[in-house]
Amino acid sequence: MRELHPIGTKFKVWAKIKNTQDAPHLYTSWQWKYEIVSDEDVQAFINAKQWGIRKDNL
């Protein structure tokens, strides 16, 4: 996905917290669907605090 879109493009992805020996971190698969979002979409998402909620189409 990073090669298909210009630098600065914002993506909404489904990610999991993965615990490893070093430290927990976010994991997402290149095979999972993603959504391109605008700056306004990003701000609305952050303000709504909707993380952890999955849409059926993602």
Side-chain angles (χ1 to χ4, degrees):
M1 80 183 189
R2 67 181 174 86
E3 294 175 356
L4 296 175
H5 305 284
I7 293 172
T9 302
K10 294 172 180 66
F11 303 95
K12 187 175 183 182
V13 300
W14 183 253
K16 295 180 180 183
I17 297 175
K18 185 175 180 181
N19 289 314
T20 64
Q21 291 179 349
D22 297 329
H25 62 275
L26 292 176
Y27 167 81
T28 188
S29 171
W30 64 272
Q31 296 173 319
W32 296 347
K33 293 181 181 180
Y34 61 90
E35 181 180 345
I36 297 172
V37 293
S38 68
D39 290 339
E40 292 80 17
D41 291 336
V42 170
Q43 196 58 54
F45 177 79
I46 292 169
N47 291 341
K49 298 181 181 179
Q50 292 181 340
W51 39 83
I53 299 171
R54 181 178 178 147
K55 291 182 184 178
D56 290 339
N57 62 349
L58 289 180

